[in-house]
Amino acid sequence: MAVAHRIYARALFDAARGRDRVDVARDQLAELADALEASPELEAFLANPQLDPGAKASVLEEVTEGGDPIVRNFVRLVASKGRAGQLRPIAEEFEAIVDREQGRLKVELTTAYALADDEARAIVAKIEQSSGRTVEASRSVDPDLIGGMILQAGSLRVDASVRGRLDRLRRELVTRN
């Protein structure tokens, strides 16, 4: 994540926390990011460096109409600084800051077969115990793993799959010869 994204996201977090509006800001910024993802034309318009930041701010003003003043002011500021095209990555960084501050950890659990709910809960409980955070896990299935699992939490990736072990063994054998 770019430093600028982190700086803007942190500034919004600090402002929202000061007014006890973090959850509102998180929800509204996520809605804006979803709207941008759903409208490639709008996202392309905001990312176009040849267009006037004032025009972008006006469009964003309409898009965020009825929103929380902190979010609306933030979006206006981002647009006026020429960073309207970076709203989605800023929103992602804001979400990560909120998760860290609130002790949440989002993980992606990929297994070779669909886990029973009690198996998934046991894995999540182990992660919560070792991380000291509340874990929100999403699950997916990849039969190519053969067995085991891959755990992804942010940039941390733990590959405990059979496919991963075979790949590591193959690389080790190749480098020895």
Side-chain angles (χ1 to χ4, degrees), residues 48-71:
N48 188 338
Q50 296 175 341
L51 297 176
D52 177 47
K56 295 176 187 180
S58 294
V59 168
L60 286 169
E61 186 98 13
E62 289 180 34
V63 170
T64 60
E65 188 172 340
D68 189 273
I70 290 175
V71 175

Side-chain angles (χ1 to χ4, degrees), residues 38-147:
S39 175
E41 298 84 10
L42 176 58
E43 195 161 27
F45 170 79
L46 295 174
N48 188 338
Q50 296 175 341
L51 297 176
D52 177 47
K56 295 176 187 180
S58 294
V59 168
L60 286 169
E61 186 98 13
E62 289 180 34
V63 170
T64 60
E65 188 172 340
D68 189 273
I70 290 175
V71 175
R72 295 189 79 206
N73 289 337
F74 174 76
V75 169
R76 192 176 318 122
L77 172 74
V78 169
S80 71
K81 296 294 184 181
R83 296 193 180 269
Q86 299 172 17
L87 277 167
R88 277 202 316 150
I90 291 170
E92 290 169 8
E93 183 63 27
F94 181 77
E95 182 75 28
I97 290 170
V98 172
D99 286 345
R100 263 192 314 276
E101 294 289 328
Q102 294 180 348
R104 271 193 314 266
L105 179 64
K106 291 184 180 173
V107 299
E108 170 68 29
L109 182 61
T110 306
T111 54
Y113 61 91
L115 294 175
D117 287 342
D118 60 330
E119 292 173 313
R121 276 193 296 273
I123 292 169
V124 167
K126 291 271 188 200
I127 297 168
E128 287 178 338
Q129 181 182 5
S130 64
S131 69
R133 297 164 114 187
T134 302
V135 173
E136 293 177 10
S138 57
R139 302 185 305 197
S140 62
V141 175
D142 181 359
D144 291 340
L145 295 182
I146 304 169

Side-chain angles (χ1 to χ4, degrees), residues 2-68:
V3 173
H5 302 154
R6 196 170 301 118
I7 291 169
Y8 281 98
R10 175 51 73 177
L12 175 59
F13 178 80
D14 290 342
R17 182 174 52 186
R19 295 197 173 142
D20 198 28
R21 307 292 291 161
V22 171
D23 291 333
V24 171
R26 181 189 65 225
D27 294 345
Q28 290 183 8
L29 202 56
E31 286 176 21
L32 178 59
D34 291 345
L36 292 174
E37 186 174 2
S39 175
E41 298 84 10
L42 176 58
E43 195 161 27
F45 170 79
L46 295 174
N48 188 338
Q50 296 175 341
L51 297 176
D52 177 47
K56 295 176 187 180
S58 294
V59 168
L60 286 169
E61 186 98 13
E62 289 180 34
V63 170
T64 60
E65 188 172 340
D68 189 273

